[in-house]
Amino acid sequence: MEQPPTAGEAGARVLVVDDDPTVAEIVTGYLDRAGYVVDRAGDGPDALARAAAHRPDLVVLDLMLPGMDGLEVCRRMRGQGPVPVIMLTARGDEDDRILGLEVGADDYVTKPFSPRELVLRVGSVLRRARPPADAPAGGSGSVPGSGVLRAAGLTVDPGARRAAKNGAELALTVREFDLLAFFLAHPGRAFTREELMREVWGWDFGDLSTVTVHVRRLRGKVEDDPARPRLVRTVWGVGYRFDPTTAEGE
C-alpha cells in the first residue's frame, strides 16, 4: 500500500505526459487518489504549453513521445526553471534510461510498472524537492536539515535547497543536490553505490547506474576539471568519497 502524501506534498501539481491514453488514465487516477492535483498531456508541445500555463511541482514524462521526445521536453522544461522529472522508459532500454538521467531526470520507472510504485517515487522526489525546514535532506536522515554546510569552496543550505561554488549558485537537480549535501555532511568517508542509493535515494533497491550517472553529473558542476575529479573521488572496488582536504591541499 502506498503511503499518503504528507502535508507538504498534498495538493502538489503533477503533470503526466504520455501518448498512451490507457497509461495516462491509470497514472492520473492513482495520483489523484493519493491527493495530488494532476494535469495530463499527450505529446511534447501540449506538455510545454500546460507547464507554461500552470508550473507543475513534478513531471511524470514518457521518454517515447511522438514528434518531440521526452528528452527534448525535459530539456525545454528545465530551460524555463528547475522542476523534478520522473522518466517513464521501456524495460531493457538502458541507454535511454541513462540519457534520461543525463538530461536531468531525477528518477525513472521502467514499463510495465506498478502504479503504486510510481506514486511512491513521486512522493519520494517531492519530499526531497521541498523538505520542511527541519527535515533531513538525505534519505535516512543523515544530512542536517538546518545549518549551512561548507567545504572546498562549496556551500550547501539544506533548508533553503540552495548550493553554490565559490559564491556562484549551482543549478542542481533534486538528486544532485541531495547527493552533494550528503557528501559534504560526510567528508572523507567512502560509500558504496548501494549505500548511496539507500542513504540519498532512500531505497534498498534500484539500478545502481542511477548513482553512477548522478555522480558524473555532479562532478560536471562542482569539479574544476571533471575529467580529473579532486572532490568526489572514485574509490576503486568500493564507490565514492568526498575529499575536500586533499583537493584544497593539491
Side-chain angles (χ1 to χ4, degrees):
M1 176 181 294
E2 62 266 18
Q3 300 173 350
T6 66
E9 299 163 52
R13 183 178 293 275
V14 179
L15 175 59
V16 176
V17 187
D18 199 306
D19 64 318
D20 186 327
T22 301
V23 172
E25 183 175 351
I26 291 173
V27 171
T28 297
Y30 270 80
L31 290 170
D32 180 69
R33 287 191 293 274
Y36 299 104
V37 177
V38 188
D39 289 336
R40 283 174 53 178
D43 56 38
D46 188 19
L48 294 174
R50 289 178 180 274
H54 299 284
R55 189 69 177 172
D57 297 298
L58 181 142
V59 181
V60 177
L61 178 60
D62 187 21
L63 181 64
M64 299 300 295
L65 293 172
M68 183 189 303
D69 65 19
L71 296 176
E72 182 61 24
V73 174
C74 185
R75 289 190 189 98
R76 294 195 185 190
M77 282 190 179
R78 283 282 167 74
Q80 300 301 313
V83 58
V85 174
I86 296 178
M87 283 278 191
L88 302 180
T89 70
R91 184 175 298 278
D93 294 341
E94 182 176 356
D95 290 343
D96 287 341
R97 294 199 299 271
I98 291 176
L99 279 174
L101 294 170
E102 289 285 9
V103 299
D106 298 284
D107 194 5
Y108 66 84
V109 176
T110 55
K111 293 182 177 182
F113 58 86
S114 161
R116 291 183 174 182
E117 178 189 351
L118 178 58
V119 171
L120 288 173
R121 297 288 183 96
V122 167
S124 174
V125 173
L126 281 172
R127 281 191 294 274
R128 285 161 176 78
R130 42 181 206 178
D134 59 349
S140 68
S142 300
V143 179
S146 60
V148 176
L149 304 169
R150 294 185 177 88
L154 296 171
T155 303
V156 172
D157 185 339
R161 300 291 295 185
R162 300 184 69 176
K165 176 182 178 182
N166 298 325
E169 189 158 356
L170 295 170
L172 302 177
T173 66
V174 172
R175 299 299 187 185
E176 290 166 0
F177 182 94
D178 291 343
L179 188 59
L180 180 60
F182 185 80
F183 277 139
L184 262 69
H186 301 86
R189 178 179 168 185
F191 291 93
T192 66
R193 291 190 299 168
E194 290 87 352
E195 288 174 321
L196 291 172
M197 178 72 78
R198 182 173 61 251
E199 298 292 336
V200 177
W201 276 257
W203 307 332
D204 290 319
F205 63 92
D207 185 347
L208 294 178
S209 66
T210 299
V211 177
T212 305
V213 171
H214 278 80
V215 168
R216 182 164 65 244
R217 286 181 53 84
L218 183 61
R219 282 171 168 167
K221 297 178 180 181
V222 304
E223 299 281 0
D224 292 332
D225 181 0
R228 300 177 59 191
R230 299 187 301 166
L231 292 170
V232 182
R233 292 178 174 269
T234 298
V235 181
W236 297 109
V238 180
Y240 303 101
R241 181 182 69 239
F242 181 68
D243 208 349
T245 304
T246 303
E248 290 171 346
E250 290 180 350

